[in-house]
């Protein structure tokens, strides 16, 4: 158990709909990262927050948005869903600001989104 | 361009055999390299992390090596078990930059009895 909690574990919805994925980082971790993993693909970085503020942005679509709340949990909002958005969405947390400088990434178990 | 390439894409081995997975990178300036294990449908779990000065690091039956001069790393699995079946992901960090973490696409290992 990494200590990172993601909900829901599974989600099935229709095209055009909007969903919200939730992540609770490990206790004390200030950074939250979101990744998308499509079927048999590698992890694609979407966005990072540190202590409530956006820190870095990856290949995140304009239809997607995220935020980190004062209690440090984060939500990823996906709107106007398309079939191609079906994927596993992972959240990871790290206590270090700059994830490259030795900070360990702890991943949640992911939220599997299926768009029909 | 910062890239991480892994080989082979997939590998099937018999239980009890050893195997070696490769990771080549062009990330610069280099900070550290990590190997993660990802079981199907689960989140990645860290196996090892190595900095520039480290040549080898072990975690049980997993041994990672790093050659910073040739920008290559390998993950050696000894006496494989069925539970080793997973994807193994190489992740390289750059010293600076907001998006400074680069992921390989992974090697999918299948261990058969």
């Amino acid at each position: 158990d990494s200590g990172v909690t993601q909900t829901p574990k599974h989600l099935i919805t229709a095209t055009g709909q909007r969903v919200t994925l939730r992540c609770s980082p490990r206790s004390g971790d200030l950074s939250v990262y979101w990744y998308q993993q499509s079927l048999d693909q590698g992890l694609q970085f979407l966005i990072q927050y540190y202590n409530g503020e956006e820190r870095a942005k990856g290949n995140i679509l304009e239809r997607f948005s995220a935020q980190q709340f004062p209690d440090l949990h984060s939500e990823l909002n996906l709107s106007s869903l398309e079939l191609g958005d079906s994927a596993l969405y992972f959240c990871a947390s790290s206590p270090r600001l700059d994830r490259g400088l030795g900070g360990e990434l702890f991943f949640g178990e992911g939220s599997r989104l299926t768009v029909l | 361009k910062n890239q991480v390439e892994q080989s082979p894409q997939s590998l099937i081995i018999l239980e009890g055999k050893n195997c070696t997975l490769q990771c080549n990178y062009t990330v610069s300036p280099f900070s550290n390299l990590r190997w993660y294990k990802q079981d199907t449908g689960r989140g990645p779990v860290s196996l090892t992390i190595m900095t520039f000065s480290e040549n080898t690091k072990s975690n049980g039956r997993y041994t990672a090596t790093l050659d910073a001069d040739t920008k290559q790393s390998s993950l050696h699995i000894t006496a494989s078990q069925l539970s080793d079946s997973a994807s193994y992901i190489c992740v390289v960090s750059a010293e600076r930059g907001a998006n400074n973490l680069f992921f390989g696409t992974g090697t999918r290992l299948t261990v058969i009895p």
Side-chain angles (χ1 to χ4, degrees):
Chain A
D1 182 6
S2 67
V4 178
T5 303
Q6 289 188 248
T7 57
K9 285 186 169 38
H10 301 277
L11 190 55
I12 301 174
T13 188
T15 54
Q17 295 298 305
R18 172 191 169 94
V19 298
T20 297
L21 310 180
R22 182 188 169 101
C23 170
S24 294
R26 293 187 325 150
S27 177
D29 285 359
L30 300 179
S31 283
V32 170
Y33 313 82
W34 286 98
Y35 293 89
Q36 180 191 55
Q37 188 175 39
S38 301
L39 187 62
D40 293 332
Q41 299 294 310
L43 288 157
Q44 298 295 320
F45 170 65
L46 296 177
I47 197 164
Q48 176 201 352
Y49 280 83
Y50 176 79
N51 204 19
E53 294 190 1
E54 183 182 304
R55 172 77 172 85
K57 225 171 192 178
N59 299 321
I60 187 167
L61 299 171
E62 285 190 10
R63 301 183 285 109
F64 296 0
S65 65
Q67 55 183 327
Q68 186 179 28
F69 295 86
D71 67 352
L72 301 178
H73 91 271
S74 177
E75 292 181 356
L76 178 66
N77 300 298
L78 315 174
S79 62
S80 302
L81 286 168
E82 302 175 359
L83 296 178
D85 297 328
S86 295
L88 267 169
Y89 291 85
F90 287 103
C91 167
S93 75
S94 169
R96 298 288 295 272
L97 167 65
D98 211 335
R99 57 194 165 141
L101 299 181
E104 184 65 67
L105 274 186
F106 296 88
F107 285 85
E109 291 301 317
S111 292
R112 181 177 293 281
L113 172 66
T114 302
V115 182
L116 300 176
Chain B
K1 184 179 177 183
N2 291 314
Q3 282 186 317
V4 177
E5 293 185 354
Q6 293 187 241
S7 62
Q9 268 192 324
S10 61
L11 183 62
I12 301 174
I13 62 173
L14 289 173
E15 187 179 10
K17 297 296 186 184
N18 304 335
C19 68
T20 300
L21 314 180
Q22 300 290 344
C23 173
N24 296 338
Y25 62 92
T26 58
V27 177
S28 181
F30 175 85
S31 176
N32 60 63
L33 184 147
R34 306 173 189 145
W35 284 94
Y36 284 86
K37 178 186 179 188
Q38 184 180 21
D39 292 319
T40 302
R42 307 291 298 276
V45 175
S46 178
L47 293 175
T48 64
I49 177 170
M50 290 184 291
T51 59
F52 185 88
S53 59
E54 295 173 297
N55 300 117
T56 185
K57 184 165 279 190
S58 291
N59 178 359
R61 294 180 296 102
Y62 301 101
T63 299
T65 64
L66 174 64
D67 186 334
D69 291 331
T70 62
K71 299 187 176 182
Q72 295 179 328
S73 176
S74 65
L75 180 69
H76 187 73
I77 304 174
T78 304
S80 61
Q81 301 176 357
L82 297 179
S83 60
D84 293 330
S85 296
S87 286
Y88 292 84
I89 305 169
C90 175
V91 183
V92 182
S93 301
E95 277 191 347
R96 44 182 183 268
N99 296 343
N100 62 344
L101 216 157
F102 300 91
F103 285 73
T105 54
T107 292
R108 181 178 295 277
L109 174 66
T110 303
V111 181
I112 58 176

